Each structure stands twice: as structure tokens, then as C-alpha cells.
Amino acid sequence: MTQYPDAIRTVRWMVRDTFRQSVATKLFWAMLGLTALCALFCLGMTVDAPPDRKRHPDELPTYMPKGEATPEVIAEGIRVAEGKVTLGFGLFSYPITKSKDDAVRVVLLWLAGVVADTAGVLLALLWTAGFLPTFLEPQAVTVLLAKPAPRWAVLAGKYLGVVVFVSLQATVFVGATWFATGAATGVWDGAYWVAVPLLVINFAVFYAVSAMLAVWTRSTVVSVFGAVLFWVLCWATNYTQHRLAMTTVPGSTRAATTLLSAAYWTLPKPLDMGGVFFDAMKAENYAAPVPELVAAKARGDFHPGLAVVTSLAFAAAVLAVAGYEFRHMDY
């Protein structure tokens, strides 16, 4: 029973040590700096929204500038861009046909879905991948292993420390960009905060793979590229599963379909996680959805809850394997 207080103390110490390491390597300030740049970019946002209009029954997803639209074009269902969004204090601008609220939500959707959920998660994996291999070097870890603390607590504490660190950065990013767009435009969309837990879950799942590779190889290079390549594999599997379900591929066999389905349900699902955020933002009212996810929803094959649960279950299994390997390693 005495091992559990020791384990709890070890986990707490490892979390604090991770923050110390992030500050020492300047990673903490680098990520805050990128967040500040994104917030400043959003603070310079202005929206000149078009007036409310009646939607054409056969409205097309394309649009034309106001000066080029003719009555005949409008009658065919092509929208007229009568408004404009400006970003970065005039650095970028583009025409819009949406209302002010919807135009702001599109920017938030890109910030969370592309900047944070794709580029942000991959950058976080790249920047934090060296934490565990460096820590697992014999000269660094043997001091901890000599103390009466179970090895699983040492590994779990380091993993949890990185996840907590990224959780803090994700919260600051979402909060800063939400406040900046709200202050600049007067549009405060609370649904945007759903991005925080989804970003954390997405990172935690793939960082578990990075942790396992670190235990097996103690190589930062392998941890970095292995985690990124695994993310690409999972995204491709997730996309292909939905794509093949909506189209018939000549030459595909039942065995191939079964194998793909098994891989889809086993591996994490980054595309489905993005779909969860898309639905939470009610983005179907103002942004073009991913056709494959639309088809999956129409067939009843899109299960947001299961996508999250199975992704977390995969991470737990990978961490268990890493813990077993670390327990039996010789130092």
C-alpha cells in the first residue's frame, strides 16, 4: 500500500518537472509567442457584413463580386459577395456572402480545425517528442529509479506532465483567439471552447505513440517522425474508410473492406474528431462540410462518441505496452 503515496508523489513531481523543462528549453515561451501572434491577427479582424437576404432555393456554393453580378446570374442561384472580411489589420481580405456572425464563426472554425487541430497538434508532437527520450537516458532516469517509486508512475507522470502542459497551451490559445475575435467584432461564440477538450484528446492519443517509441528506442528522431507518420496513417485510414463507403472501387474485395474496417475501429480517428468539432460549432449552416463525413452521417456510420472512446482506448493500450516495456528495461 505504501507504493501508492509514492506513486502519487512521483506523478506530481514529474508534472512539475515537465513544466520546468519546457521553460528551460524555451518551448513554453515559444508556444505562447505563437498564440500571441494568432491573437493579434484576430484582433485586427473587421467584418463588413452584407445585408440579410432571402436564400435562392437552388443556391450554388460559388459567388461573384458585386460589380460583376448580373440579374441573370443572380437568377441562376449564384450568390453575390456584398461584404468583406479583413484580417491582420488589413494584411488579408476576402469577400463574403455570409452574415457577420457566420463570417466570424468561419474564422474560428479555421483557427481550431486547421491551425490548432492539424498544424498545432503536429507542432506540439514535434516540439515535445524530445521530452521523454532525453528523460529516459540512463544518466537522467537512474536517479529516480533508485527511489521507492514504481516505474509505471515515473512514465505516467512524464506523459501526464506533457499532456497537462499542452492542455494549458490549448486553453490559452482558444481563450486568446476567442477574446480577440470577440473584442474585434462583437461576436462571442461559446461553442468555440469545445475545441479545448478535443485538441487535448487528439494530442494525448498520438503522444501515447510517441511515448511508446521513446521507451523502445530512446531516440528523439524516431519519436518525432514515428508519431507524425502514425498520424498520417490514421488520417488516411479514417478518410479511406468513409470514402470507400460512399463510392465503389473496382477490384476491391470483401477481405480488403473488412481489414480496412478493422483498422478504422482500432486506430485513432482524427478526421472524425474534426467532425465532432464541426457539429459542435453548427458549421453546416455557414461552411462547406467534408463530403465523406456527410455521406457517413447519411448512412448512420458516423458515431462521435465511439470515435472519442475508441481513440482513447487505443492510447490507453499503447501506454500499457510502453509501461510494461519500461518496467522490464535494464539500466
Side-chain angles (χ1 to χ4, degrees):
M1 293 297 290
T2 57
Q3 65 174 334
Y4 293 106
D6 290 336
I8 294 173
R9 283 193 294 269
T10 300
V11 170
R12 289 170 56 188
W13 188 89
M14 294 306 302
V15 171
R16 289 197 300 268
D17 182 68
T18 300
F19 277 88
R20 179 202 58 77
Q21 185 179 0
S22 70
V23 173
T25 58
K26 305 298 189 294
L27 176 59
F28 182 86
W29 304 111
M31 295 184 75
L32 280 185
L34 287 178
T35 294
L37 286 177
C38 290
L40 185 64
F41 189 77
C42 295
L43 196 60
M45 179 180 181
T46 60
V47 181
D48 180 18
D52 292 335
R53 61 182 175 82
K54 184 178 180 180
R55 290 185 177 274
H56 190 282
D58 301 317
E59 187 169 281
L60 300 174
T62 56
Y63 60 83
M64 294 185 64
K66 185 177 181 180
E68 300 177 13
T70 63
E72 293 77 12
V73 166
I74 297 174
E76 291 178 358
I78 297 179
R79 299 171 294 172
V80 179
E82 300 181 81
K84 184 174 71 172
V85 171
T86 302
L87 296 169
F89 298 97
L91 288 176
F92 303 95
S93 65
Y94 54 90
I96 58 169
T97 63
K98 303 175 178 66
S99 67
K100 184 177 182 179
D101 288 2
D102 287 349
V104 173
R105 291 188 183 106
V106 169
V107 174
L108 293 176
L109 195 68
W110 273 85
L111 283 170
V114 177
V115 176
D117 190 43
T118 301
V121 168
L122 290 177
L123 281 175
L125 286 172
L126 288 172
W127 288 347
T128 60
F131 279 26
L132 265 172
T134 303
F135 169 75
L136 292 174
E137 289 293 330
Q139 62 270 23
V141 76
T142 47
V143 175
L144 273 177
L145 297 183
K147 298 180 179 180
R151 287 194 178 189
W152 66 264
V154 174
L155 181 63
K158 197 64 177 177
Y159 170 83
L160 184 61
V162 174
V163 172
V164 170
F165 166 71
V166 172
S167 300
L168 174 62
Q169 295 287 348
T171 303
V172 172
F173 176 86
V174 170
T177 52
W178 176 79
F179 180 82
T181 53
T185 65
V187 178
W188 306 87
D189 190 354
Y192 181 55
W193 284 92
V194 177
V196 174
L198 292 177
L199 289 173
V200 172
I201 291 172
N202 207 14
F203 172 81
V205 168
F206 290 101
Y207 189 66
V209 175
S210 180
M212 181 182 68
L213 293 174
V215 171
W216 277 356
T217 67
R218 302 180 196 171
S219 168
T220 299
V221 174
V222 173
S223 297
V224 169
F225 288 101
V228 172
L229 289 175
F230 183 73
W231 181 91
V232 174
L233 171 65
C234 292
W235 198 96
T237 301
N238 196 169
Y239 176 84
T240 305
Q241 167 72 10
H242 293 318
R243 184 66 182 176
L244 293 185
M246 65 181 289
T247 58
T248 302
V249 178
S252 61
T253 64
R254 181 179 295 275
T257 303
T258 302
L259 184 62
L260 176 63
S261 181
Y264 166 76
W265 283 111
T266 302
L267 298 176
K269 303 162 186 62
L271 179 61
D272 287 4
M273 297 285 283
V276 173
F277 179 68
F278 190 91
D279 290 347
M281 290 283 291
K282 296 182 172 57
E284 68 277 359
N285 298 326
Y286 52 84
V290 178
E292 288 73 19
L293 288 180
V294 173
K297 293 175 184 177
R299 296 190 309 270
D301 291 339
F302 180 67
H303 307 285
L306 280 177
V308 174
V309 170
T310 53
S311 296
L312 289 174
F314 178 86
V318 168
L319 284 175
V321 172
Y324 178 83
E325 179 69 16
F326 184 49
R327 183 181 177 183
H328 292 84
M329 289 175 63
D330 293 327
Y331 277 96

